[in-house]
Amino acid sequence: MILNELTLTNFGIYKGEHKVPLTPNNRKPIILFGAYNGSGKTTFLDALQLVLYGKTAKTSGRAKTPYEDYLRQLINRDIAPKVGAGLSLTFTTVQNGKKEKIEVTRTWAESGNSIKEHCEVK
């Protein structure tokens, strides 16, 4: 699997929409991330796990927090919970000898007193 792009929307410290290209190329076959403490590196890695695995993701900040509460905590603090947050990952894989581009999108927002999550795979 080759990761192409991760889009974070109102996720943790990432307010608004942030598109991060991840496709390696011959000149840059490895993607490296470096930044100061507290700048979002672990949040970014948590986003990769969460978009792919949802409730079963082994993310850093969840511990024994119920999934719905965890999702609520991940909505950027400057955004209304009813607006919510989302993640989208596009990647390329080979299926039966043919390259396939797949997009997984996971969004969630507060609806009444609960969090409603939606996951779509294209």
Side-chain angles (χ1 to χ4, degrees):
M1 172 173 35
I2 301 293
L3 302 180
N4 300 116
E5 182 178 77
L6 178 65
T7 302
L8 304 100
T9 306
N10 299 324
F11 182 79
I13 66 166
Y14 297 95
K15 182 180 178 184
E17 183 179 272
H18 299 267
K19 291 183 179 279
V20 181
L22 299 169
T23 306
N25 60 46
N26 290 337
R27 292 182 331 150
K28 297 180 181 179
I30 298 173
I31 307 293
L32 299 175
F33 287 90
Y36 291 113
N37 291 344
S39 60
K41 299 179 302 293
T42 301
T43 302
F44 183 84
L45 292 174
D46 285 348
L48 284 172
Q49 290 187 61
L50 186 61
V51 71
L52 289 172
Y53 300 108
K55 191 174 188 174
T56 62
K58 304 290 185 217
T59 56
S60 64
R62 185 168 175 206
K64 294 184 186 243
T65 304
Y67 185 60
E68 188 175 297
D69 294 341
Y70 179 64
L71 290 180
R72 184 177 280 112
Q73 293 170 7
L74 291 174
I75 299 171
N76 182 277
R77 66 179 179 213
D78 295 328
I79 301 299
K82 290 185 186 324
V83 173
L87 301 166
S88 181
L89 177 67
T90 58
F91 60 92
T92 306
T93 187
V94 177
Q95 299 285 334
N96 300 321
K98 181 180 169 191
K99 271 189 173 181
E100 298 280 343
K101 189 171 187 178
I102 298 173
E103 180 179 9
V104 179
T105 302
R106 188 177 299 276
T107 58
W108 60 94
E110 191 173 78
S111 178
N113 290 329
S114 64
I115 293 287
K116 298 295 182 195
E117 179 185 33
H118 178 73
C119 182
E120 183 176 358
V121 179
K122 297 183 203 174

